[in-house]
Amino acid sequence: MKKVLIDCDPGIDDALALALAAGSQDALDVVGVTTVGGNVDLPLTTANALALREFLDLGDVPVTPGSAGALLRHTVRADHVHGATGLGGVVLPAPERGVSEGHAVDFIVDSLRAAPGEITLVAVGPLTNLALAVRKEPRVVEWARDLVIMGGSYTRGNHNPAAEFNMLADPEAAAIVFEAGWTVKMMGLDVTLSAVVTSSVLDRMWPLGRLADLLVPAAQSYKPVTADDGPAIHDACAVAYVLDPSLFTCVPAVVNVETAGLYTRGMTVTDFEVGDRRANALVATSLDVKRFWDLVMAAYERLAARLG
Ligand code: BDR
Ligand code: CA
């Protein structure tokens, strides 16, 4: 059983990543969900996390809100992708329970301190909370079992030609995290763009009972689904990596986050020619798409059976 702490900004694909974790209770122990302003403002990402905790039957997993905005930059949002609420066309029942006391940064530091070497951090939003945790308590780097992020790319951007959204939204935070001393497992656009909900994947989601009320409108509103194409559920790749790293080919690299560029801010400049330097990242370069969907759909089917 792997312990994971999920830092997120739900976010349609964040929701589908949480659903993957919720359907993987045999393999994952979700010790906490922390939220960050990202796709939409913090009050919305937090409200969505609370609604998802109950809808996905995540039990009493604490949901703790964190940073509302980037360390230095003006706010960048992705509500043009995720809709005004952050969950596109998904409407979930209002949650009955609220957030936990305290701030996400303290929750992250305290959780890692209490269980050194046990908890894998899974970060699928801007890296503001993680950067602040590193600054507040640098030993989080040694206490974390692993750090897996959805973010960056060595080939392209999505918010603009150079930068992936999570990196662009808080480049200074991303730079702090990449420079902190751990080996970041980087699930970037290079692989996540192949995790596409095609129409045939969507067909497998329709019969999933109550869970389909989340999955289907999520996929449909994330981006219109065409015959052979559909939305990429980026964030689920980070959870999938924790569940089965063999789904991905990963290559050691030195990754630097551009914070000064006029047109390249947030770019993850990735050097696979590591030489004598320490590789600060293991960068995913390919994904076994069939096995990815087998893993994801098996988890969704288990969760659907539980939810009814
Ligand atoms: C990332 O940006 C967000 O919009 C998604 O939730 C995902 O984390 C993809 O670039
Ligand atoms: Ca996200």
Side-chain angles (χ1 to χ4, degrees):
M1 194 73 121
K2 287 183 182 162
K3 292 184 179 174
V4 290
L5 192 165
I6 302 177
D7 188 69
C8 57
D9 60 335
I12 295 174
D13 58 329
D14 304 71
L16 300 187
L18 288 169
L20 174 57
S24 306
Q25 281 185 333
D26 51 330
L28 294 187
D29 173 13
V30 183
V31 300
V33 172
T34 51
T35 58
V36 62
N39 287 317
V40 287
D41 289 345
L42 182 70
L44 286 169
T45 62
T46 304
N48 292 339
L50 290 172
L52 286 160
R53 172 176 65 182
E54 293 182 19
F55 185 83
L56 298 172
D57 193 24
L58 278 164
D60 53 8
V61 170
V63 172
T64 312
S67 310
L71 297 182
L72 297 178
R73 304 283 173 166
H74 292 302
T75 300
V76 183
R77 295 289 179 241
D79 47 1
H80 56 291
V81 179
H82 296 264
T85 68
L87 289 183
V90 177
V91 181
L92 298 177
E96 288 175 7
R97 287 168 293 136
V99 295
S100 295
E101 290 283 301
H103 192 279
V105 172
D106 297 312
F107 181 84
I108 292 168
V109 171
D110 294 345
S111 301
L112 294 176
R113 179 188 288 116
E118 291 183 26
I119 299 175
T120 295
L121 296 171
V122 179
V124 294
L127 293 173
T128 321
N129 289 336
L130 261 65
L132 289 170
V134 166
R135 282 292 186 257
K136 183 162 189 187
E137 175 47 273
R139 285 176 294 176
V140 293
V141 171
E142 42 187 276
W143 293 336
R145 173 174 172 168
D146 210 347
L147 166 61
V148 185
I149 71 161
M150 187 285 129
S153 161
Y154 62 91
T155 50
R156 53 165 293 167
N158 60 355
H159 198 82
N160 63 40
E164 183 278 328
F165 174 76
N166 290 336
M167 303 292 101
L168 181 87
D170 197 344
E172 283 75 18
I176 288 170
V177 169
F178 273 96
E179 289 165 13
W182 39 26
T183 304
V184 179
K185 308 297 166 5
M186 179 175 132
M187 307 296 117
L189 295 173
D190 323 291
V191 291
T192 67
L193 280 170
S194 58
V196 172
V197 185
T198 59
S199 52
S200 63
V201 171
L202 190 61
D203 286 345
R204 293 163 74 184
M205 292 177 168
W206 276 104
L208 295 183
R210 251 187 96 220
L211 184 58
D213 294 346
L214 166 68
L215 301 180
V216 172
Q220 288 179 325
S221 57
Y222 202 8
K223 185 180 140 193
V225 177
T226 61
D228 305 315
D229 207 359
I233 58 167
H234 308 276
D235 291 345
C237 292
V239 175
Y241 178 85
V242 181
L243 287 165
D244 186 356
S246 79
L247 296 174
F248 300 84
T249 308
C250 292
V251 180
V254 174
V255 175
N256 288 298
V257 182
E258 177 60 81
T259 55
L262 186 56
Y263 302 109
T264 53
R265 180 166 48 91
M267 183 176 184
T268 42
V269 179
T270 304
D271 191 351
F272 290 110
E273 301 293 327
V274 175
D276 293 338
R277 295 173 296 168
R278 194 188 80 80
N280 65 345
L282 203 52
V283 175
T285 56
S286 74
L287 168 65
D288 186 330
V289 175
K290 182 189 176 305
R291 286 179 55 226
F292 170 81
W293 279 116
D294 288 347
L295 177 126
V296 172
M297 291 309 302
Y300 287 170
E301 281 159 16
R302 280 193 300 273
L303 179 60
R306 231 171 58 223
L307 299 183

